[in-house]
PDB file of all heavy atoms in Angstrom:
ATOM      1  N   THR N 110     131.894 131.023  84.727  1.00 94.00           N
ATOM      2  CA  THR N 110     131.155 130.399  83.627  1.00 94.00           C
ATOM      3  C   THR N 110     130.351 129.196  84.118  1.00 94.00           C
ATOM      4  O   THR N 110     129.183 129.014  83.769  1.00 94.00           O
ATOM      5  CB  THR N 110     132.108 129.963  82.508  1.00 94.00           C
ATOM      6  OG1 THR N 110     132.838 131.102  82.033  1.00 94.00           O
ATOM      7  CG2 THR N 110     131.336 129.344  81.349  1.00 94.00           C
ATOM      8  N   CYS N 111     130.983 128.390  84.950  1.00 94.00           N
ATOM      9  CA  CYS N 111     130.293 127.214  85.497  1.00 94.00           C
ATOM     10  C   CYS N 111     129.107 127.643  86.348  1.00 94.00           C
ATOM     11  O   CYS N 111     128.010 127.096  86.213  1.00 94.00           O
ATOM     12  CB  CYS N 111     131.256 126.377  86.335  1.00 94.00           C
ATOM     13  SG  CYS N 111     130.455 124.978  87.173  1.00 94.00           S
ATOM     14  N   TRP N 112     129.304 128.626  87.238  1.00 93.00           N
ATOM     15  CA  TRP N 112     128.216 129.028  88.130  1.00 93.00           C
ATOM     16  C   TRP N 112     127.027 129.590  87.343  1.00 93.00           C
ATOM     17  O   TRP N 112     125.884 129.396  87.733  1.00 93.00           O
ATOM     18  CB  TRP N 112     128.699 130.056  89.143  1.00 93.00           C
ATOM     19  CG  TRP N 112     129.936 129.685  89.895  1.00 93.00           C
ATOM     20  CD1 TRP N 112     130.913 130.529  90.345  1.00 93.00           C
ATOM     21  CD2 TRP N 112     130.364 128.370  90.294  1.00 93.00           C
ATOM     22  NE1 TRP N 112     131.900 129.832  90.988  1.00 93.00           N
ATOM     23  CE2 TRP N 112     131.590 128.508  90.982  1.00 93.00           C
ATOM     24  CE3 TRP N 112     129.833 127.092  90.146  1.00 93.00           C
ATOM     25  CZ2 TRP N 112     132.295 127.422  91.506  1.00 93.00           C
ATOM     26  CZ3 TRP N 112     130.534 126.001  90.653  1.00 93.00           C
ATOM     27  CH2 TRP N 112     131.736 126.177  91.320  1.00 93.00           C
ATOM     28  N   SER N 113     127.315 130.256  86.219  1.00 92.00           N
ATOM     29  CA  SER N 113     126.220 130.749  85.379  1.00 92.00           C
ATOM     30  C   SER N 113     125.403 129.594  84.812  1.00 92.00           C
ATOM     31  O   SER N 113     124.180 129.658  84.729  1.00 92.00           O
ATOM     32  CB  SER N 113     126.778 131.613  84.238  1.00 92.00           C
ATOM     33  OG  SER N 113     127.384 132.783  84.737  1.00 92.00           O
ATOM     34  N   MET N 114     126.095 128.516  84.408  1.00 93.00           N
ATOM     35  CA  MET N 114     125.411 127.363  83.808  1.00 93.00           C
ATOM     36  C   MET N 114     124.617 126.563  84.836  1.00 93.00           C
ATOM     37  O   MET N 114     123.501 126.135  84.565  1.00 93.00           O
ATOM     38  CB  MET N 114     126.434 126.454  83.114  1.00 93.00           C
ATOM     39  CG  MET N 114     127.024 127.019  81.839  1.00 93.00           C
ATOM     40  SD  MET N 114     127.978 125.767  80.923  1.00 93.00           S
ATOM     41  CE  MET N 114     129.278 125.374  82.107  1.00 93.00           C
ATOM     42  N   VAL N 115     125.194 126.354  86.014  1.00 93.00           N
ATOM     43  CA  VAL N 115     124.580 125.421  86.966  1.00 93.00           C
ATOM     44  C   VAL N 115     123.726 126.107  88.022  1.00 93.00           C
ATOM     45  O   VAL N 115     123.095 125.424  88.834  1.00 93.00           O
ATOM     46  CB  VAL N 115     125.657 124.563  87.673  1.00 93.00           C
ATOM     47  CG1 VAL N 115     126.535 123.863  86.662  1.00 93.00           C
ATOM     48  CG2 VAL N 115     126.495 125.413  88.624  1.00 93.00           C
ATOM     49  N   SER N 116     123.687 127.429  88.014  1.00 90.00           N
ATOM     50  CA  SER N 116     122.960 128.146  89.065  1.00 90.00           C
ATOM     51  C   SER N 116     121.507 127.681  89.237  1.00 90.00           C
ATOM     52  O   SER N 116     121.063 127.426  90.360  1.00 90.00           O
ATOM     53  CB  SER N 116     123.005 129.656  88.806  1.00 90.00           C
ATOM     54  OG  SER N 116     122.432 130.369  89.866  1.00 90.00           O
ATOM     55  N   PRO N 117     120.738 127.539  88.131  1.00 91.00           N
ATOM     56  CA  PRO N 117     119.352 127.054  88.315  1.00 91.00           C
ATOM     57  C   PRO N 117     119.296 125.655  88.911  1.00 91.00           C
ATOM     58  O   PRO N 117     118.434 125.367  89.764  1.00 91.00           O
ATOM     59  CB  PRO N 117     118.780 127.085  86.891  1.00 91.00           C
ATOM     60  CG  PRO N 117     119.625 128.084  86.164  1.00 91.00           C
ATOM     61  CD  PRO N 117     121.008 127.906  86.720  1.00 91.00           C
ATOM     62  N   ASP N 118     120.204 124.765  88.476  1.00 92.00           N
ATOM     63  CA  ASP N 118     120.211 123.400  88.997  1.00 92.00           C
ATOM     64  C   ASP N 118     120.627 123.375  90.461  1.00 92.00           C
ATOM     65  O   ASP N 118     120.076 122.611  91.264  1.00 92.00           O
ATOM     66  CB  ASP N 118     121.162 122.524  88.178  1.00 92.00           C
ATOM     67  CG  ASP N 118     120.614 122.206  86.799  1.00 92.00           C
ATOM     68  OD1 ASP N 118     119.381 122.139  86.647  1.00 92.00           O
ATOM     69  OD2 ASP N 118     121.417 122.039  85.871  1.00 92.00           O
ATOM     70  N   TRP N 119     121.607 124.201  90.836  1.00 88.00           N
ATOM     71  CA  TRP N 119     122.024 124.287  92.238  1.00 88.00           C
ATOM     72  C   TRP N 119     120.851 124.708  93.121  1.00 88.00           C
ATOM     73  O   TRP N 119     120.595 124.110  94.155  1.00 88.00           O
ATOM     74  CB  TRP N 119     123.189 125.262  92.363  1.00 88.00           C
ATOM     75  CG  TRP N 119     123.529 125.637  93.777  1.00 88.00           C
ATOM     76  CD1 TRP N 119     123.019 126.678  94.491  1.00 88.00           C
ATOM     77  CD2 TRP N 119     124.446 124.960  94.651  1.00 88.00           C
ATOM     78  NE1 TRP N 119     123.569 126.701  95.759  1.00 88.00           N
ATOM     79  CE2 TRP N 119     124.432 125.661  95.882  1.00 88.00           C
ATOM     80  CE3 TRP N 119     125.262 123.839  94.510  1.00 88.00           C
ATOM     81  CZ2 TRP N 119     125.226 125.276  96.962  1.00 88.00           C
ATOM     82  CZ3 TRP N 119     126.052 123.452  95.594  1.00 88.00           C
ATOM     83  CH2 TRP N 119     126.027 124.171  96.787  1.00 88.00           C
ATOM     84  N   SER N 120     120.149 125.746  92.683  1.00 85.00           N
ATOM     85  CA  SER N 120     119.004 126.219  93.449  1.00 85.00           C
ATOM     86  C   SER N 120     117.942 125.137  93.579  1.00 85.00           C
ATOM     87  O   SER N 120     117.341 124.956  94.642  1.00 85.00           O
ATOM     88  CB  SER N 120     118.409 127.473  92.793  1.00 85.00           C
ATOM     89  OG  SER N 120     119.300 128.560  92.868  1.00 85.00           O
ATOM     90  N   ARG N 121     117.709 124.401  92.482  1.00 89.00           N
ATOM     91  CA  ARG N 121     116.705 123.322  92.529  1.00 89.00           C
ATOM     92  C   ARG N 121     117.149 122.222  93.494  1.00 89.00           C
ATOM     93  O   ARG N 121     116.339 121.713  94.286  1.00 89.00           O
ATOM     94  CB  ARG N 121     116.522 122.736  91.125  1.00 89.00           C
ATOM     95  CG  ARG N 121     115.598 121.519  91.082  1.00 89.00           C
ATOM     96  CD  ARG N 121     115.446 120.996  89.658  1.00 89.00           C
ATOM     97  NE  ARG N 121     116.724 120.706  89.026  1.00 89.00           N
ATOM     98  CZ  ARG N 121     117.416 119.592  89.241  1.00 89.00           C
ATOM     99  NH1 ARG N 121     116.959 118.662  90.094  1.00 89.00           N
ATOM    100  NH2 ARG N 121     118.566 119.392  88.625  1.00 89.00           N
ATOM    101  N   CYS N 122     118.423 121.851  93.453  1.00 89.00           N
ATOM    102  CA  CYS N 122     118.924 120.804  94.344  1.00 89.00           C
ATOM    103  C   CYS N 122     118.793 121.212  95.806  1.00 89.00           C
ATOM    104  O   CYS N 122     118.363 120.422  96.655  1.00 89.00           O
ATOM    105  CB  CYS N 122     120.393 120.497  94.024  1.00 89.00           C
ATOM    106  SG  CYS N 122     120.700 119.771  92.389  1.00 89.00           S
ATOM    107  N   VAL N 123     119.163 122.462  96.113  1.00 82.00           N
ATOM    108  CA  VAL N 123     119.063 122.957  97.481  1.00 82.00           C
ATOM    109  C   VAL N 123     117.605 123.033  97.918  1.00 82.00           C
ATOM    110  O   VAL N 123     117.253 122.711  99.050  1.00 82.00           O
ATOM    111  CB  VAL N 123     119.744 124.328  97.606  1.00 82.00           C
ATOM    112  CG1 VAL N 123     119.481 124.950  98.979  1.00 82.00           C
ATOM    113  CG2 VAL N 123     121.240 124.193  97.380  1.00 82.00           C
ATOM    114  N   ASP N 124     116.750 123.474  96.999  1.00 84.00           N
ATOM    115  CA  ASP N 124     115.328 123.573  97.280  1.00 84.00           C
ATOM    116  C   ASP N 124     114.763 122.209  97.665  1.00 84.00           C
ATOM    117  O   ASP N 124     114.024 122.074  98.647  1.00 84.00           O
ATOM    118  CB  ASP N 124     114.621 124.123  96.039  1.00 84.00           C
ATOM    119  CG  ASP N 124     113.160 124.431  96.286  1.00 84.00           C
ATOM    120  OD1 ASP N 124     112.833 124.970  97.356  1.00 84.00           O
ATOM    121  OD2 ASP N 124     112.341 124.150  95.390  1.00 84.00           O
ATOM    122  N   GLU N 125     115.118 121.185  96.897  1.00 87.00           N
ATOM    123  CA  GLU N 125     114.620 119.840  97.169  1.00 87.00           C
ATOM    124  C   GLU N 125     115.127 119.318  98.507  1.00 87.00           C
ATOM    125  O   GLU N 125     114.394 118.646  99.238  1.00 87.00           O
ATOM    126  CB  GLU N 125     115.005 118.905  96.029  1.00 87.00           C
ATOM    127  CG  GLU N 125     114.266 119.203  94.727  1.00 87.00           C
ATOM    128  CD  GLU N 125     114.673 118.288  93.587  1.00 87.00           C
ATOM    129  OE1 GLU N 125     115.608 117.473  93.793  1.00 87.00           O
ATOM    130  OE2 GLU N 125     114.076 118.387  92.494  1.00 87.00           O
ATOM    131  N   LEU N 126     116.386 119.629  98.838  1.00 83.00           N
ATOM    132  CA  LEU N 126     116.919 119.208 100.132  1.00 83.00           C
ATOM    133  C   LEU N 126     116.156 119.875 101.266  1.00 83.00           C
ATOM    134  O   LEU N 126     115.732 119.220 102.224  1.00 83.00           O
ATOM    135  CB  LEU N 126     118.407 119.562 100.218  1.00 83.00           C
ATOM    136  CG  LEU N 126     119.044 119.337 101.600  1.00 83.00           C
ATOM    137  CD1 LEU N 126     119.040 117.865 101.970  1.00 83.00           C
ATOM    138  CD2 LEU N 126     120.467 119.899 101.633  1.00 83.00           C
ATOM    139  N   GLN N 127     115.982 121.185 101.167  1.00 78.00           N
ATOM    140  CA  GLN N 127     115.296 121.918 102.234  1.00 78.00           C
ATOM    141  C   GLN N 127     113.856 121.429 102.411  1.00 78.00           C
ATOM    142  O   GLN N 127     113.370 121.255 103.535  1.00 78.00           O
ATOM    143  CB  GLN N 127     115.330 123.417 101.928  1.00 78.00           C
ATOM    144  CG  GLN N 127     114.857 124.290 103.091  1.00 78.00           C
ATOM    145  CD  GLN N 127     113.395 124.667 102.950  1.00 78.00           C
ATOM    146  OE1 GLN N 127     112.974 125.128 101.893  1.00 78.00           O
ATOM    147  NE2 GLN N 127     112.634 124.490 104.005  1.00 78.00           N
ATOM    148  N   LEU N 128     113.183 121.179 101.312  1.00 84.00           N
ATOM    149  CA  LEU N 128     111.805 120.714 101.373  1.00 84.00           C
ATOM    150  C   LEU N 128     111.716 119.295 101.916  1.00 84.00           C
ATOM    151  O   LEU N 128     110.788 118.958 102.646  1.00 84.00           O
ATOM    152  CB  LEU N 128     111.164 120.807  99.986  1.00 84.00           C
ATOM    153  CG  LEU N 128     110.929 122.234  99.472  1.00 84.00           C
ATOM    154  CD1 LEU N 128     110.515 122.214  98.010  1.00 84.00           C
ATOM    155  CD2 LEU N 128     109.887 122.943 100.312  1.00 84.00           C
ATOM    156  N   ALA N 129     112.702 118.456 101.568  1.00 83.00           N
ATOM    157  CA  ALA N 129     112.719 117.098 102.090  1.00 83.00           C
ATOM    158  C   ALA N 129     112.923 117.107 103.601  1.00 83.00           C
ATOM    159  O   ALA N 129     112.251 116.384 104.341  1.00 83.00           O
ATOM    160  CB  ALA N 129     113.825 116.291 101.412  1.00 83.00           C
ATOM    161  N   VAL N 130     113.855 117.955 104.074  1.00 77.00           N
ATOM    162  CA  VAL N 130     114.095 118.061 105.509  1.00 77.00           C
ATOM    163  C   VAL N 130     112.847 118.585 106.214  1.00 77.00           C
ATOM    164  O   VAL N 130     112.470 118.110 107.295  1.00 77.00           O
ATOM    165  CB  VAL N 130     115.307 118.971 105.781  1.00 77.00           C
ATOM    166  CG1 VAL N 130     115.440 119.259 107.272  1.00 77.00           C
ATOM    167  CG2 VAL N 130     116.585 118.324 105.256  1.00 77.00           C
ATOM    168  N   ARG N 131     112.172 119.561 105.608  1.00 77.00           N
ATOM    169  CA  ARG N 131     110.936 120.082 106.201  1.00 77.00           C
ATOM    170  C   ARG N 131     109.876 118.986 106.287  1.00 77.00           C
ATOM    171  O   ARG N 131     109.203 118.838 107.312  1.00 77.00           O
ATOM    172  CB  ARG N 131     110.407 121.256 105.371  1.00 77.00           C
ATOM    173  CG  ARG N 131     109.019 121.718 105.808  1.00 77.00           C
ATOM    174  CD  ARG N 131     108.500 122.846 104.933  1.00 77.00           C
ATOM    175  NE  ARG N 131     109.199 124.091 105.197  1.00 77.00           N
ATOM    176  CZ  ARG N 131     108.932 125.237 104.563  1.00 77.00           C
ATOM    177  NH1 ARG N 131     108.008 125.270 103.620  1.00 77.00           N
ATOM    178  NH2 ARG N 131     109.596 126.329 104.866  1.00 77.00           N
ATOM    179  N   ASP N 132     109.721 118.215 105.219  1.00 81.00           N
ATOM    180  CA  ASP N 132     108.726 117.143 105.209  1.00 81.00           C
ATOM    181  C   ASP N 132     109.014 116.125 106.303  1.00 81.00           C
ATOM    182  O   ASP N 132     108.119 115.720 107.055  1.00 81.00           O
ATOM    183  CB  ASP N 132     108.741 116.469 103.834  1.00 81.00           C
ATOM    184  CG  ASP N 132     107.838 115.239 103.775  1.00 81.00           C
ATOM    185  OD1 ASP N 132     106.719 115.305 104.319  1.00 81.00           O
ATOM    186  OD2 ASP N 132     108.262 114.225 103.189  1.00 81.00           O
ATOM    187  N   ILE N 133     110.295 115.736 106.423  1.00 77.00           N
ATOM    188  CA  ILE N 133     110.674 114.746 107.442  1.00 77.00           C
ATOM    189  C   ILE N 133     110.459 115.315 108.837  1.00 77.00           C
ATOM    190  O   ILE N 133     109.975 114.623 109.737  1.00 77.00           O
ATOM    191  CB  ILE N 133     112.138 114.318 107.237  1.00 77.00           C
ATOM    192  CG1 ILE N 133     112.285 113.585 105.892  1.00 77.00           C
ATOM    193  CG2 ILE N 133     112.601 113.416 108.371  1.00 77.00           C
ATOM    194  CD1 ILE N 133     113.716 113.399 105.441  1.00 77.00           C
ATOM    195  N   SER N 134     110.793 116.600 109.021  1.00 71.00           N
ATOM    196  CA  SER N 134     110.615 117.228 110.333  1.00 71.00           C
ATOM    197  C   SER N 134     109.143 117.294 110.713  1.00 71.00           C
ATOM    198  O   SER N 134     108.777 117.079 111.871  1.00 71.00           O
ATOM    199  CB  SER N 134     111.214 118.637 110.320  1.00 71.00           C
ATOM    200  OG  SER N 134     112.612 118.592 110.078  1.00 71.00           O
ATOM    201  N   GLU N 135     108.285 117.589 109.740  1.00 72.00           N
ATOM    202  CA  GLU N 135     106.851 117.678 110.017  1.00 72.00           C
ATOM    203  C   GLU N 135     106.254 116.317 110.351  1.00 72.00           C
ATOM    204  O   GLU N 135     105.252 116.234 111.052  1.00 72.00           O
ATOM    205  CB  GLU N 135     106.127 118.292 108.816  1.00 72.00           C
ATOM    206  CG  GLU N 135     106.418 119.781 108.632  1.00 72.00           C
ATOM    207  CD  GLU N 135     105.754 120.349 107.397  1.00 72.00           C
ATOM    208  OE1 GLU N 135     105.298 119.550 106.542  1.00 72.00           O
ATOM    209  OE2 GLU N 135     105.697 121.582 107.270  1.00 72.00           O
ATOM    210  N   ARG N 136     106.873 115.242 109.854  1.00 73.00           N
ATOM    211  CA  ARG N 136     106.385 113.892 110.132  1.00 73.00           C
ATOM    212  C   ARG N 136     107.142 113.234 111.281  1.00 73.00           C
ATOM    213  O   ARG N 136     106.987 112.040 111.526  1.00 73.00           O
ATOM    214  CB  ARG N 136     106.512 113.027 108.874  1.00 73.00           C
ATOM    215  CG  ARG N 136     105.605 113.444 107.732  1.00 73.00           C
ATOM    216  CD  ARG N 136     105.661 112.456 106.576  1.00 73.00           C
ATOM    217  NE  ARG N 136     106.957 112.463 105.889  1.00 73.00           N
ATOM    218  CZ  ARG N 136     107.870 111.499 105.988  1.00 73.00           C
ATOM    219  NH1 ARG N 136     107.642 110.445 106.749  1.00 73.00           N
ATOM    220  NH2 ARG N 136     109.014 111.584 105.344  1.00 73.00           N
ATOM    221  N   ALA N 137     107.981 113.998 111.995  1.00 64.00           N
ATOM    222  CA  ALA N 137     108.881 113.424 112.991  1.00 64.00           C
ATOM    223  C   ALA N 137     108.147 112.621 114.054  1.00 64.00           C
ATOM    224  O   ALA N 137     108.646 111.602 114.528  1.00 64.00           O
ATOM    225  CB  ALA N 137     109.703 114.536 113.644  1.00 64.00           C
ATOM    226  N   GLN N 138     106.959 113.079 114.447  1.00 62.00           N
ATOM    227  CA  GLN N 138     106.213 112.370 115.491  1.00 62.00           C
ATOM    228  C   GLN N 138     105.545 111.106 114.970  1.00 62.00           C
ATOM    229  O   GLN N 138     105.076 110.291 115.762  1.00 62.00           O
ATOM    230  CB  GLN N 138     105.169 113.299 116.098  1.00 62.00           C
ATOM    231  CG  GLN N 138     105.771 114.489 116.843  1.00 62.00           C
ATOM    232  CD  GLN N 138     104.706 115.376 117.461  1.00 62.00           C
ATOM    233  OE1 GLN N 138     103.536 115.288 117.119  1.00 62.00           O
ATOM    234  NE2 GLN N 138     105.120 116.235 118.377  1.00 62.00           N
ATOM    235  N   LEU N 139     105.506 110.952 113.647  1.00 60.00           N
ATOM    236  CA  LEU N 139     104.848 109.784 113.053  1.00 60.00           C
ATOM    237  C   LEU N 139     105.829 108.695 112.646  1.00 60.00           C
ATOM    238  O   LEU N 139     105.417 107.599 112.285  1.00 60.00           O
ATOM    239  CB  LEU N 139     104.033 110.218 111.819  1.00 60.00           C
ATOM    240  CG  LEU N 139     102.970 111.290 112.059  1.00 60.00           C
ATOM    241  CD1 LEU N 139     102.285 111.642 110.745  1.00 60.00           C
ATOM    242  CD2 LEU N 139     101.939 110.810 113.088  1.00 60.00           C
ATOM    243  N   ILE N 140     107.130 109.004 112.672  1.00 59.00           N
ATOM    244  CA  ILE N 140     108.131 108.021 112.270  1.00 59.00           C
ATOM    245  C   ILE N 140     109.135 107.868 113.399  1.00 59.00           C
ATOM    246  O   ILE N 140     109.396 108.797 114.156  1.00 59.00           O
ATOM    247  CB  ILE N 140     108.859 108.432 110.967  1.00 59.00           C
ATOM    248  CG1 ILE N 140     109.463 109.839 111.102  1.00 59.00           C
ATOM    249  CG2 ILE N 140     107.905 108.379 109.795  1.00 59.00           C
ATOM    250  CD1 ILE N 140     110.188 110.305 109.847  1.00 59.00           C
ATOM    251  N   ASN N 141     109.689 106.655 113.539  1.00 57.00           N
ATOM    252  CA  ASN N 141     110.624 106.434 114.635  1.00 57.00           C
ATOM    253  C   ASN N 141     111.987 107.040 114.325  1.00 57.00           C
ATOM    254  O   ASN N 141     112.258 107.475 113.212  1.00 57.00           O
ATOM    255  CB  ASN N 141     110.758 104.933 114.955  1.00 57.00           C
ATOM    256  CG  ASN N 141     111.293 104.133 113.759  1.00 57.00           C
ATOM    257  OD1 ASN N 141     112.186 104.565 113.052  1.00 57.00           O
ATOM    258  ND2 ASN N 141     110.721 102.943 113.565  1.00 57.00           N
TER     259      ASN N 141
END
Side-chain angles (χ1 to χ4, degrees):
T110 302
C111 175
W112 309 147
S113 295
M114 289 191 298
V115 306
S116 186
D118 288 330
W119 169 270
S120 293
R121 175 179 55 80
C122 295
V123 172
D124 187 41
E125 291 179 355
L126 172 65
Q127 190 264 310
L128 291 170
V130 171
R131 172 182 288 180
D132 174 42
I133 295 167
S134 298
E135 289 177 346
R136 293 187 292 107
Q138 295 181 345
L139 303 178
I140 54 180
N141 61 41

